[in-house]
Amino acid sequence: MASDKPSLYTAWHSPFGWRAWISLLEKGVEFDYHETDPYEKSPEWFKISPRGLAPCIRHKGKSVYESTICMEYIDEAWPCTPRLLPEDPYDRAYVRMWTDHVNKKIIPHIFGMIVHQTATEQEKSKQDALDGIAAYLEAMRDGGPYFLGQNFSMADIALGTFGSIFFCMEHYRGFKVPNEAKFVKFHDWIQTIVARKSWQTVLPPREQVLEDWRPYAEGVAQTELAKAAKQGKTP
Amino acid sequence: MMSDPKPTFYTSWFCPFAQRVWIALLEKGIDFEYIDVDPFKKTPEWLSVSPRGLVPVLVHQGKSVYESSICIEYIDEEWPENPILPKAPYQRAYERIWADHIAKKIVPPFYAMLLKKETELQENAKKEMLEQLLVLTKAMDPTGPYFAGSQVGLVDIMLAPFAIRFFILKHYRGFQVPSGDESPFSRFNKWYIAIKERDSTVKTSASDEEYIGIYKRYTDDTGQSLVATAIRQGTALP
């Protein structure tokens, strides 16, 4: 019988997965957590997630996948506070545009700098990531500490999941968000984000994160993620 | 500042992404101002309206909305009559999932088929296109004729401009969706007939000759759009 209690199928190490996980935690929704390896393409897995993608939420017999779509679904299925998208149609569009910006103009370069094996390509990815981050910071509304100002939203989750493991990009590629001029806002913002209980729940220990990214940094990962990342795409 | 209830729609007549938003505006019966721009001329004025320099952009009450799916959701939420998205959260997620499928799995082979010079890569694109169209077809409401049933919705609007350009793929690359009642694509063809004759599709489409002409530059590798560049480089579409 289809259950009202959602199940989250996700991998502990996936920042995309953390987006859905954090959203459920923020809403105070009771859910079942299923540790998942989305690269194990079993028939059972495709029954749960038809395109084989994680994170995937199973709720009332249906599957929702794609991390951004999961965040919107969670906000609409459980419309309690905190709202992940605001009420006003333009503000909602604003959150969606800047979430889209994170997905297209920042995340691919975060993967790119790790997955690319030549210094030239790595440097280009680092610069592209910084350009994307600078634009996001400029779009941040005044009155902080969140992207929309006073109110937490999906735009914070979109970047804040990856932003919380930038130490990993620094470790492997010397990537740092500068602490001056147009980047100053980043550090206050990420500190506030990471201090949230939901982030503290999902973030694995530093060493585990570093170990998880090692095969990608050393060019030996064979996953779809690695292949896609080399092409500047993320699944 | 004067209140500005009428949105301004910035578009280029040949752009399938912009056509999506145009269709949505017509479906909603919204009164809007239509401005055709040349998105290849990145003037400061244009970039102040459209930070990415791309069409479509909708400007309403002094603020810009861009990205076709985001424009459509904005239109749906700002003008709630004649809804484009359903009310129930799962139905909404379903529409978004299949709109995302179109963006990631159908649009790229559309362009790859035209832009790639090697026959093998063109053939791969054709194969990919048919596979992904079949996946989408299986997700359609069995009765239809539209994706989710009797009402036009987000997925229909996201796919329509590309589907009505399939004849270009036939013209330049010999690509065709199999026909016939027994074909696994018969449900897709039923969808196509319904969407093609819909008023909003007819009013927003140019002539066959105009489309054939404008897409020639993709096939002879002179296309300068960000989409063309991305396909050539094998990176994600903007």
Side-chain angles (χ1 to χ4, degrees):
Chain A
M1 185 147 158
S3 167
D4 270 17
K5 189 180 183 196
S7 281
L8 174 67
Y9 292 82
T10 189
W12 65 268
H13 51 80
S14 164
F16 290 116
W18 300 340
R19 289 171 166 185
W21 192 0
I22 281 168
S23 300
L24 287 166
L25 291 170
E26 289 282 342
K27 292 284 192 175
V29 173
E30 264 203 55
F31 64 97
D32 288 326
Y33 179 100
H34 298 261
E35 185 57 45
T36 304
D37 179 0
Y39 301 116
E40 235 196 74
K41 307 282 185 198
S42 65
E44 295 76 40
W45 174 230
F46 282 98
K47 282 204 194 86
I48 291 164
S49 184
R51 262 168 63 191
L53 299 171
C56 178
I57 296 171
R58 285 285 294 177
H59 187 215
K60 298 183 185 174
K62 308 285 194 191
S63 303
V64 179
Y65 47 89
E66 273 305 318
S67 64
T68 303
I69 297 174
C70 286
M71 290 193 280
E72 289 226 37
Y73 175 75
I74 289 165
D75 196 44
E76 291 175 350
W78 294 279
C80 52
T81 53
R83 289 311 305 257
L84 303 182
L85 285 106
E87 287 288 313
D88 175 72
Y90 178 73
D91 290 344
R92 294 168 70 80
Y94 198 75
V95 168
R96 289 177 178 135
M97 285 187 281
W98 288 98
T99 298
D100 184 67
H101 172 86
V102 170
N103 288 340
K104 288 194 179 134
K105 305 287 187 183
I106 301 176
I107 304 309
H109 305 305
I110 299 299
F111 281 104
M113 72 177 72
I114 292 290
V115 162
H116 291 311
Q117 297 298 310
T118 71
T120 319
E121 290 172 306
Q122 290 164 12
E123 287 309 306
K124 177 156 200 313
S125 290
K126 284 158 74 175
Q127 191 51 56
D128 288 342
L130 286 178
D131 289 344
I133 290 166
Y136 177 93
L137 295 171
E138 203 183 312
M140 258 188 195
R141 289 189 176 160
D142 290 334
Y146 299 112
F147 179 80
L148 278 185
Q150 300 253 327
N151 297 319
F152 179 70
S153 74
M154 176 169 86
D156 297 294
I157 305 176
L159 182 58
T161 44
F162 287 86
S164 62
I165 57 163
F166 277 1
F167 64 84
C168 187
M169 288 76 214
E170 182 179 352
H171 177 86
Y172 288 113
R173 297 293 184 247
F175 173 71
K176 278 177 97 113
V177 179
N179 208 347
E180 28 91 63
K182 58 187 176 179
F183 292 103
V184 147
K185 267 195 239 180
F186 178 81
H187 300 280
D188 282 339
W189 170 78
I190 193 67
Q191 262 182 45
T192 307
I193 293 295
V194 169
R196 284 178 87 90
K197 194 149 161 264
S198 55
W199 261 263
Q200 290 300 309
T201 305
V202 316
L203 282 179
R206 268 182 84 98
E207 298 67 40
Q208 282 184 28
V209 174
L210 291 173
E211 263 318 292
D212 179 63
W213 283 80
R214 181 187 300 282
Y216 298 96
E218 293 177 355
V220 296
Q222 290 304 315
T223 61
E224 277 168 40
L225 190 70
K227 285 186 218 142
K230 284 203 184 90
Q231 292 178 325
K233 299 171 185 154
T234 36
Chain B
M1 189 166 154
M2 215 166 69
S3 170
D4 173 24
K6 195 168 153 179
T8 303
F9 171 54
Y10 292 86
T11 183
S12 303
W13 65 268
F14 52 82
C15 174
F17 302 96
Q19 187 177 4
R20 291 167 167 173
V21 180
W22 194 1
I23 289 172
L25 288 164
L26 293 182
E27 286 288 335
K28 287 283 207 175
I30 293 166
D31 190 20
F32 64 97
E33 195 188 346
Y34 177 105
I35 298 186
D36 204 281
V37 301
D38 179 354
F40 303 111
K41 289 211 176 86
K42 312 281 185 201
T43 62
E45 298 77 40
W46 175 229
L47 292 174
S48 71
V49 167
S50 175
R52 289 184 184 173
L54 301 172
V55 288
V57 178
L58 199 67
V59 177
H60 188 219
Q61 293 167 340
K63 295 176 277 196
S64 297
V65 182
Y66 48 85
E67 273 309 305
S68 57
S69 60
I70 297 175
C71 288
I72 295 169
E73 293 224 37
Y74 173 75
I75 287 166
D76 204 37
E77 291 171 355
E78 181 68 19
W79 293 277
E81 311 76 35
N82 307 317
I84 291 172
L85 276 145
K87 284 213 171 4
Y90 176 68
Q91 269 64 48
R92 293 166 73 82
Y94 194 77
E95 290 278 324
R96 290 174 182 139
I97 283 169
W98 290 101
D100 183 67
H101 177 83
I102 292 165
K104 293 200 173 122
K105 303 286 188 182
I106 292 177
V107 171
F110 176 94
Y111 287 103
M113 217 185 291
L114 292 170
L115 286 162
K116 297 292 184 190
K117 298 170 104 163
E118 303 88 339
T119 315
E120 192 192 334
L121 295 178
Q122 293 168 14
E123 291 305 310
N124 288 346
K126 285 186 200 175
K127 195 161 154 281
E128 177 73 6
M129 173 68 93
L130 285 178
E131 266 176 44
Q132 300 302 339
L133 276 176
L134 193 58
V135 171
L136 180 68
T137 301
K138 289 179 178 166
M140 287 187 180
D141 173 81
T143 314
Y146 302 112
F147 177 80
S150 58
Q151 306 284 350
V152 150
L154 177 68
V155 174
D156 304 297
I157 298 175
M158 294 292 278
L159 185 58
F162 287 92
I164 61 116
R165 285 166 174 73
F166 279 179
F167 78 96
I168 301 168
L169 302 179
K170 184 175 177 197
H171 179 88
Y172 285 113
R173 297 293 183 246
F175 169 82
Q176 218 165 355
V177 177
S179 58
D181 290 337
E182 298 307 303
S183 156
F185 291 94
S186 65
R187 173 66 183 94
F188 173 82
N189 292 323
K190 180 179 179 184
W191 172 86
Y192 178 69
I193 288 165
I195 207 73
K196 188 175 153 74
E197 63 189 26
R198 204 165 165 89
D199 221 33
S200 56
T201 307
V202 171
K203 288 199 168 114
T204 59
S205 297
S207 71
D208 285 4
E209 294 72 37
E210 284 170 309
Y211 281 135
I212 294 285
I214 201 86
Y215 278 91
K216 183 158 200 313
R217 69 193 168 174
Y218 283 93
T219 61
D220 62 21
D221 209 20
T222 58
Q224 292 303 310
S225 65
L226 291 180
V227 171
T229 308
I231 292 283
R232 274 196 222 102
Q233 291 176 349
T235 56
L237 298 188

